[in-house]
Amino acid sequence: MAGGDILPSWAVKRVTEREQWGSRIGFIMAAVGSAVGLGNIWRFPYEAATNGGAAFLLANFVAVLLIGLPAILAEFTIGRRAQRNVVDAFGRGGRAWKAAGALAAVTAFWIVSYYSVVGGWVLRYLIESPTGAYFGEPAAHFESVAVGLDAALYAAAFLLITVGIVAMGIERGIELATKIMVPAIVVLMGGLAVFAATLPGSGAGYEYFLAPDFGYLADNLVTLIPAAVGEVLFTLSLGSGIMITYASYVEDAESLVADGGAIVVVNTLVGYLAGLIVFPLLFAQGVEPGEAGAGAIFVSIANAFQSLPAGELFGVVFYFVILIAALSSSISLLEIPTAYFVDNFDAGRPVVAGALGTGAFLLGVPTALDQATFEFFDSFASEVMLPTGLFLVTVFVGWVYGREAMDELGEGVREQFLPRAWLWYVRIVVFLAVAMTLVLSVTSFAGIELF
Ligand code: PHE
């Protein structure tokens, strides 16, 4: 389009140059890459362990179907409709709504600042695996590397890779990287699960993970439901504008329902696969999952490698999988604010990504130097920011976008009743579930006992 004479240059850039995914499968892979991450491999087994094992699995499965899928579709419709970053996408609902978009972008920036610290731990464990450096005293080793200057340096290295991929752009950076990473994650995790199955004593792990205790389920519904819903939001990357931004790079009117369904199914299966690795390994070591705590993958599991045949190799594969899973999520986090600046200012993507990466590093330094700060960052994000973000999404889709969201979902979908049913479902069921999660998690964050 030779519109340079009528339109100012920034407008031309908007109309002609906004990037798109190269293919539908590329979009799906990028979204799966964002969803599959530390949430599946580290948080999911850990949450399952503290919430009754298989009972949690069951509650989680129900929450994925009833809340996760319709909620991801809500974010998709906002993004694809707007073809803009999260701030401007919300901004279509009026000036005040821009603040909701800004909150999402800030949330993503906040999360990537400490997520990269965990990414740094993983990078370090990967590098240390060939020599078994953490074999001797796993707990002491973890304590010595998790906090301190080293932790900040490794976080910087992790962020550097993240920035590099985001700087390359949507199709040649994020899409290309996740098209390689996601299949690799699935194949390598499958291999690890098979290997874990061969360990003596692993059987108890399956029983713990797969046989629900219905008594526990009935007695603990009040804590189980918010934990299960919260895990769904975290693992599907909902509430921070990621699925909005990623869908904004989709132009074709294909069925979002089919794409969302595929993403949710793969993400859930990877979470279960992680459980099939982590629990047999823990039980084979005689470690009760509840005791393992948040450091499980760095302490109990690292300890398990020591006694395994070819433990060094096992360690390399294990931490490599976690590293690429974490990277494919951190690039999605950094992309959210990046998209905003690239859309709105005449700055190159590499400059924007580099500046934001530097900012995220600086914000994250305190979390690398102090464990309590780290925990504050994590719980503030998952208990306050993400549920608030998704709550705003449901209100926006339900009551501001309404019809438009319905039309957008209807594109490429044959069942004509579906969009309307979905909209009402979002307005009532998803809205109430997210509102309840928000209340329960904000009160738990503030230390208030409701029940
Ligand atoms: N979904 C990612 C994971 O499972 C984490 C994440 C949460 C990423 C929120 C972005 C936003 O690790």
Side-chain angles (χ1 to χ4, degrees), residues 73-126:
L73 295 180
E75 292 209 2
F76 281 169
T77 56
I78 299 178
R80 192 173 71 179
R81 191 71 166 188
Q83 299 282 305
R84 302 287 291 159
N85 63 84
V86 64
V87 180
D88 298 319
F90 268 110
R92 297 187 68 196
R95 275 188 68 93
W97 277 103
K98 262 199 165 182
L103 175 75
V106 169
T107 301
F109 184 71
W110 173 274
I111 295 178
V112 78
S113 78
Y114 74 88
Y115 200 86
S116 59
V117 173
V118 184
W121 299 341
V122 178
L123 186 61
R124 177 172 195 138
Y125 270 67
L126 172 63

Side-chain angles (χ1 to χ4, degrees), residues 358-369:
T358 310
F361 170 71
L362 294 175
L363 178 64
V365 165
T367 71
L369 299 181

Side-chain angles (χ1 to χ4, degrees), residues 38 40-42 45 121-123 125-127 129 134 184-185 188-189 191-193 195-196 273-279 281-282 295-305 308 310-326:
L38 296 166
N40 304 67
I41 302 174
W42 162 70
W121 299 341
V122 178
L123 186 61
Y125 270 67
L126 172 63
I127 293 171
S129 289
Y134 49 77
I185 293 168
L188 292 176
M189 282 183 71
L192 288 174
F195 188 79
L273 204 50
L276 294 179
I277 298 169
V278 171
F279 291 113
L281 268 174
L282 290 181
I297 61 167
F298 298 104
V299 180
S300 315
I301 298 236
N303 190 31
F305 297 155
L308 292 183
E312 289 88 351
L313 179 67
F314 197 101
V316 169
V317 177
F318 184 76
Y319 290 111
F320 179 71
V321 174
I322 303 180
L323 181 69
I324 55 179

Side-chain angles (χ1 to χ4, degrees), residues 159-247:
L159 266 173
L160 205 64
I161 309 174
T162 305
V163 167
I165 298 173
V166 172
M168 296 289 289
I170 295 305
E171 189 178 343
R172 287 188 328 140
I174 298 178
E175 179 169 350
L176 186 63
T178 50
K179 260 187 179 162
I180 301 168
M181 288 168 162
V182 171
I185 293 168
V186 174
V187 170
L188 292 176
M189 282 183 71
L192 288 174
V194 170
F195 188 79
T198 64
L199 301 176
S202 57
Y206 297 114
E207 197 183 318
Y208 180 82
F209 187 52
L210 297 174
D213 175 348
F214 289 101
Y216 181 94
L217 199 67
D219 292 343
N220 294 281
L221 271 183
V222 179
T223 50
L224 209 52
I225 292 177
V229 176
E231 168 63 20
V232 168
L233 307 194
F234 189 85
T235 188
L236 286 175
S237 307
L238 295 170
S240 61
I242 286 177
M243 296 303 170
I244 296 177
T245 308
Y246 272 11

Side-chain angles (χ1 to χ4, degrees), residues 37 141 270 276 299 349 418:
H141 186 78
V270 172
L276 294 179
V299 180
R349 172 174 274 277
L418 207 87

